[in-house]
Amino acid sequence: MLKSVVRGCVLAGAPLLLGACATSSFNGYVSASPHDMKVVEHGGYSPAAMAQIAIVQNPDFNGGKISPKALQKIQEYSISCQRQIDAQLAGSGQSGLNGAVPYGLAGLGVGPAAKAAFAGASESAYALYGGIAYVLPGAVNGLITGSYAMASAKGTCTRDFWEDIVRIDPDFRGTHVVVVYAGKAAGDSIPPALLDRPAAKPVSR
């Protein structure tokens, strides 16, 4: 019985490892590292800094191109928002537990249900089975819900900060921040309007 419980807990914890993947459903938990901040300070593009947002450019302004100055400022705001939001919202561990515990408790109901439906069924055995079986989907649901909340908060914060200053510099005209609630594109997620910009390329460590 103990081995089964441990196995269930391990399975429930597995999705937590996905919390650092910006291309997954858990990108809300991603936050830029000190190295990412250096990349941004050098005019580069950091996928971690952009994990919860996308940048689009109105083609009728600035030749349809996002200026390096706008890219850098938006990423700086995004990193600031990540740090401020991380300190206030539930992280991946807490979010996983928030889903796993109620689902696990609900799964215990399989015991009484089995006893009522099948003669000779062991209520305790079925309750243990139900509890463990519900833990993993509960943890995943908690992670996704928590990540969505994180991505929404971080992305909205970045967009709001950007709107505070977007009208003060002609280079910022027509550039908009869009909140990304789930995963970014795998591999190359650089905004198309930046493809011919040297500032869009990450700097080496």
Side-chain angles (χ1 to χ4, degrees), residues 111 114-115 120-127:
K115 184 176 181 179
S122 171
E123 181 174 348
S124 60
Y126 274 92

Side-chain angles (χ1 to χ4, degrees), residues 7-8 11 21 46-47 53 62 75 80 83-84 86-87 94 97 102-103 118 133 137 139 141 143 148 151 168 186 191:
R7 185 181 298 117
L11 289 174
C21 185
S46 165
I53 60 171
N62 292 332
Q75 290 185 105
S80 175
R83 292 174 177 173
Q84 294 187 63
D86 278 340
Q94 184 180 339
L97 287 175
Y103 268 64
F118 307 108
N141 181 70
L143 282 166
Y148 187 95
I168 69 173

Side-chain angles (χ1 to χ4, degrees), residues 57 62 65-67 69-70 162 166 169-175:
Q57 177 69 31
N62 292 332
K65 296 296 182 180
I66 300 169
S67 74
K69 189 190 302 185
W162 176 246
V166 69
D169 192 320
D171 284 343
F172 297 164
R173 295 183 64 202
T175 303

Side-chain angles (χ1 to χ4, degrees), residues 96-203:
L97 287 175
N98 286 346
V101 171
Y103 268 64
L105 291 174
L108 297 178
V110 173
K115 184 176 181 179
F118 307 108
S122 171
E123 181 174 348
S124 60
Y126 274 92
L128 177 62
Y129 167 80
I132 294 175
Y134 276 58
V135 164
L136 180 57
V140 172
N141 181 70
L143 282 166
I144 292 175
T145 302
S147 176
Y148 187 95
M150 274 281 201
S152 176
K154 293 175 180 180
T156 301
C157 170
T158 305
R159 184 178 61 195
D160 290 347
F161 282 6
W162 176 246
E163 289 177 352
D164 287 341
I165 67 160
V166 69
R167 299 182 187 279
I168 69 173
D169 192 320
D171 284 343
F172 297 164
R173 295 183 64 202
T175 303
H176 300 276
V177 173
V178 179
V179 181
V180 176
Y181 299 99
K184 298 291 290 287
D188 184 4
S189 61
I190 296 176
L194 289 170
L195 287 179
D196 60 346
R197 300 274 188 173
K201 299 177 181 178
V203 297

